[in-house]
Amino acid sequence: MSAGSEGGGATAVRPPPFGTGQRIRTRAIWAVSLFTAAIPPAVVGFGISTATDDQVNVAMPLALLFWVLGFLFALWAAVPTLRHWDGLPSQTRWLGALPLLSVSLFLSVALLVPLLR
């Protein structure tokens, strides 16, 4: 019998590779920053589209660009977070997972609001 096949079924938690926690934190911070940067152009674009007859403006595509970049950074932070979940400190776990969770919550609310009207 090999040493790993003995009873119990518990496996040792391996620590993540060096620098993984720092990369997760950096990517999560960039995701939150880009999501925040998408808010002012969205507000300005919405104001322009409701106040004037001109529905074409630069602000809304800029807000969408910031939001999509934030989403990509959130995915980029969530993948290694989920891969090394057991080996990461709890603060790094949540910091890596929350940007993507907030996006999924936002999209869920955006899908449910029209159904509730």
Side-chain angles (χ1 to χ4, degrees):
M1 240 201 231
S2 67
S5 65
E6 294 177 3
T11 59
V13 176
R14 293 184 350 178
F18 181 74
T20 301
Q22 180 64 38
R23 284 191 298 273
I24 290 170
R25 286 190 298 271
T26 303
R27 293 168 186 169
I29 290 168
W30 271 103
V32 171
S33 299
L34 288 165
F35 288 143
T36 305
I39 294 172
V43 170
V44 169
F46 182 71
I48 290 172
S49 67
T50 57
T52 65
D53 291 333
D54 185 24
Q55 298 295 319
V56 179
N57 59 44
V58 178
M60 292 303 271
L62 189 61
L64 182 65
L65 174 72
F66 283 140
W67 191 88
V68 167
L69 286 174
F71 180 72
L72 290 175
F73 271 91
L75 275 176
W76 201 19
V79 169
T81 300
L82 295 174
R83 181 179 298 155
H84 303 292
W85 186 266
D86 292 332
L88 292 171
S90 63
Q91 295 89 356
T92 307
R93 289 179 193 174
W94 288 110
L95 186 63
L98 282 178
L100 195 59
L101 288 174
S102 65
V103 168
S104 65
L105 176 66
F106 172 74
L107 291 176
S108 298
V109 169
L111 290 173
L112 288 177
V113 166
L115 294 176
L116 297 176
R117 287 186 173 190

